[in-house]
Amino acid sequence: DPESRSRLAESIETATRMSQGSLLVVPVESPTTVDARPARKKLKGARAEAEQLFSLSYACPVHGSTGLEEPQPRNFSFNSPHGACPECTGLGTKLEIDPDQVLPDRSLSIRDGAFQTFGRSGVYYTEHAEWVARRYGISTSKPMDELPREDVDFLLYGSNDFDGKKSVRNRFGRVKFKRATVEGVITALERRYKETESEWVKQEIERLMVTRPCPTCEGRRLKPEALAVTVGDRNISELCDLSVSDADRFFAELKLSQREETIAVQIRKEIQERLGFMVDVGLQYLTLNRITPTLSGGEAQRIRLATQIGSRLMGVLYVLDEPSIGLHQRDNRKLINTLERLRGLGNTLIVVEHDEETMRHADWVVDIGPGAGEHGGKIVFSGTYDQLLRAKDSTTAQYLRGERSIPMPPRRRKGSGKRLVVRGAVENNLKDVTVGFPLGAFICVSGVSGSGKSTLVNDILYRALNQHFFRARERPGKHKGISGLEHLDKVIDVDQSPIGRTPRSNPATYVGVFTYIRELFATLPEARERGYTPGRFSFNVKGGRCEACQGDGMIKIEMNFLPDVYVPCEVCKGKRYNREALEVRFKGHSISDVLDMSVAEALDLFQNIPRIARKLETLNEVGLGYIRLGQPATTLSGGEAQRVKLSTELSRRDTGMTFYILDEPTTGLHFADIERLLKVLHRLVDRGNTVLVIEHNLDVLKTADWLIDLGPEGGDRGGEIVAEGTPEQVAAKPRSYTGQYLQPYLKGAEKKLA
């Protein structure tokens, strides 16, 4: 009746006001009580199930939690304080000091220096550990691995979580101490890291740290309230853990009610379109939450390409620099289709590329050459692909016609008979892989994009070897063990990172030839008469350098709100040296003239000086005869930097027991440059060394002594050894995509890919 309804409404209003918006409705049969909790305990069976919890705010129906915000997009962003985990501020990880870095060798005792920290402070922390050990009766002469675990933990972390007392003997007799007052070595380091204002100290302590998942959000980056919201039984973190292809399938198969479908139809369409663009450019193996710094240059470029397709712009000029980097031949066709779609929208694409298949699908080809550096810079050909095949002066056309080709090796090396074996690799998408690398051979690791090549070689094999030979701090990926290390004496990773981060660094200084050139200039008669030392011919120290620009040759002009501008020094005119240093000449060339020479020109000049000529020859052999000796390191491409490093290794004496690792060394290389590079790599193997190359280029794969193919797909559907053996054996495996594309190369047929 109206009166009862009115009284009920008043009671509900009173209850929600007193409880800040919550209301529990209990069945009428329950005892009358002011506190509903005793009544709830007495309810059984159907009556308990009849209880109903109501709330004026967003609340959890299971736990009764209230006060939740109305869901908004910002609540699901780890870049927003509204959604980010408060513990890790949305990073998903925390830097923590690693006990294995503080105690790298547990066979040592405290007295022998088991504790390792940084600089002179290492003595302080060792003395602190000795003091704590003596005070609490812990042996300072026993190896750390023989001490009880609780004592080691006490030395590392102190006793902040320890509430009891321990009776110990010290020089004052038996005394009771509270361990809660003691600071451990790691807790002392953590305190200093928070309190110090010294960047050097922070960097040194960070070398002892490792990145671990945040204990609060377990690496999921978001608050619990955001993770409680699910779509299709998955929260946003679980959804972002999926690969692009799996996420595309999830949204395609997602079952929604009619009301939900009406709400989500446009959002779902936009999501699926964007995922489809990423599949089209061959990135279906990437997980949605992949961290940007871990992407290769080619992957980042293709993500930007997928973004442009989604924008559907018309009349735009796109410039792409080698978009096929890191792409398997199977995925290359997808990339070309994507480029053709962009062109079909009414755009113009200029692609810098060496890939044959990309050239074949181009509407217009411009060939620049005929050589590199000073021997290039001319338009050798401009026209269609069919016209290019008939061009007589084009080196590119000679390779495309088959007149020139990268030769097959006369034989496959058997190696030294020894093997390096990685057992039980399970890092990232690797599925308990055990693989052997024959030593004394040229080994290639291939596979479709995302199949696990870099994880196996860089994250596990290289890091484990680096840690074994050089005590590197970087930990290898998860694996059970590596055998065969005794057959090697060192590992060298020839990567594409810059050889220097300032313009002062250059190829001459990196390979060490500039030291010999300066010594040569110091022995010239005019230099000896003036008493010049080799330091006089360095642009990094006072004496011979131009002090107006301090040896830079350029003056930096800082522009407010604009990028800095560099202009040639007005005093030395960009020569870097003062007048006195430039007056000393070798065969008519000053030290500045030598730095401006190409490697090939300098080789002619110094051909009769063996120690200089030897280092210049190695630069020339790897195809860098065109770069200038003094060319700033910042202007070198990744491929050029990698070849400078390779030439440095070639000029050193080796023992025949070195393990070389190169990740896609053919990046940015023409057919002729690849042929030259392969000669260098095979020469290293002929000396007894082992060369391991991660590569997609079929001309490189066909010359391998041993080929390891991972797959069969990328991401979760990869991480297995699909085939291994000689290139002929891999080509015979129908499950191997690499083998399918390799067959025509091995048979000597024309290079026409399916």
Side-chain angles (χ1 to χ4, degrees), residues 39-40 47 121 130 178 321 482 571 591 597 619 683 725:
R40 293 179 65 192
R47 286 199 301 169
S121 297
E130 287 181 354
K178 286 185 179 181
D321 191 357
I482 296 181
V571 178
I591 187 72
M597 286 182 176
L619 279 169
R683 201 175 80 200

Side-chain angles (χ1 to χ4, degrees), residues 481-503:
I482 296 181
S483 59
L485 293 170
E486 66 276 9
H487 305 309
L488 300 170
D489 63 0
K490 61 181 174 180
V491 60
I492 294 171
D493 181 27
V494 189
D495 61 16
Q496 295 193 5
S497 60
I499 62 171
R501 301 195 179 275
T502 67

Side-chain angles (χ1 to χ4, degrees), residues 558-588:
E558 295 183 1
M559 307 287 287
N560 292 330
F561 312 112
L562 290 171
D564 296 336
V565 174
Y566 290 86
V567 297
C569 173
E570 293 180 356
V571 178
C572 67
K573 309 299 182 186
K575 293 183 180 293
R576 298 185 174 192
Y577 294 91
N578 57 30
R579 179 176 54 82
E580 291 79 11
L582 294 172
E583 286 174 350
V584 180
R585 293 178 175 270
F586 175 74
K587 294 184 178 181

Side-chain angles (χ1 to χ4, degrees), residues 206-279:
E206 283 172 1
R207 293 177 62 190
L208 303 171
M209 292 179 160
V210 292
T211 302
R212 291 200 173 99
C214 169
T216 302
C217 65
E218 298 177 343
R220 293 181 289 183
R221 300 186 171 196
L222 295 168
K223 292 179 178 178
E225 296 89 335
L227 295 171
V229 180
T230 60
V231 174
D233 296 328
R234 290 182 187 268
N235 63 35
I236 191 168
S237 176
E238 292 168 339
L239 187 56
C240 289
D241 284 337
L242 298 177
S243 66
V244 170
S245 56
D246 287 341
D248 193 26
R249 192 178 308 109
F250 169 81
F251 284 105
E253 298 172 356
L254 181 63
K255 304 296 183 186
L256 299 175
S257 66
Q258 186 174 354
R259 178 174 176 273
E260 291 170 337
E261 184 65 43
T262 304
I263 296 170
V265 60
Q266 190 58 37
I267 299 172
R268 188 176 184 176
K269 177 176 176 289
E270 292 289 337
I271 291 173
Q272 287 186 273
E273 275 191 4
R274 281 161 172 73
L275 292 173
F277 297 148
M278 294 185 71
V279 172

Side-chain angles (χ1 to χ4, degrees), residues 397-552:
Q398 292 172 11
Y399 279 93
L400 294 175
R401 289 194 298 264
E403 291 174 12
R404 292 179 62 178
S405 63
I406 295 171
M408 290 280 289
R411 59 183 178 83
R412 306 284 184 198
R413 300 180 190 85
K414 299 295 183 184
S416 62
K418 303 179 179 70
R419 290 164 66 85
L420 188 69
V421 181
V422 177
R423 300 189 310 276
V426 292
E427 183 73 7
N428 292 337
N429 66 331
L430 294 178
K431 297 178 173 59
D432 198 16
V433 167
T434 296
V435 58
F437 301 93
L439 301 180
F442 181 58
I443 310 166
C444 286
V445 177
S446 63
V448 298
S449 303
S451 58
K453 304 183 296 299
S454 294
T455 300
L456 174 64
V457 176
N458 295 330
D459 296 350
I460 297 178
L461 180 61
Y462 171 67
R463 288 184 184 178
L465 293 176
N466 205 25
Q467 198 174 61
H468 174 78
F469 291 117
F470 308 117
R471 299 182 66 87
R473 294 180 182 272
E474 208 168 20
R475 285 185 168 188
K478 296 176 186 174
H479 67 289
K480 292 177 182 175
I482 296 181
S483 59
L485 293 170
E486 66 276 9
H487 305 309
L488 300 170
D489 63 0
K490 61 181 174 180
V491 60
I492 294 171
D493 181 27
V494 189
D495 61 16
Q496 295 193 5
S497 60
I499 62 171
R501 301 195 179 275
T502 67
R504 289 182 177 272
S505 179
N506 55 54
T509 56
Y510 188 85
V511 301
V513 71
F514 194 48
T515 301
Y516 299 144
I517 293 173
R518 288 189 290 110
E519 290 174 357
L520 171 65
F521 270 79
T523 62
L524 295 175
E526 192 169 355
R528 295 176 68 179
E529 288 173 6
R530 300 183 182 190
Y532 290 170
T533 63
R536 186 82 185 193
F537 301 98
S538 170
F539 52 77
N540 287 321
V541 296
K542 289 183 178 180
R545 74 180 183 184
C546 169
E547 289 303 324
C549 62
Q550 296 188 332
D552 279 337

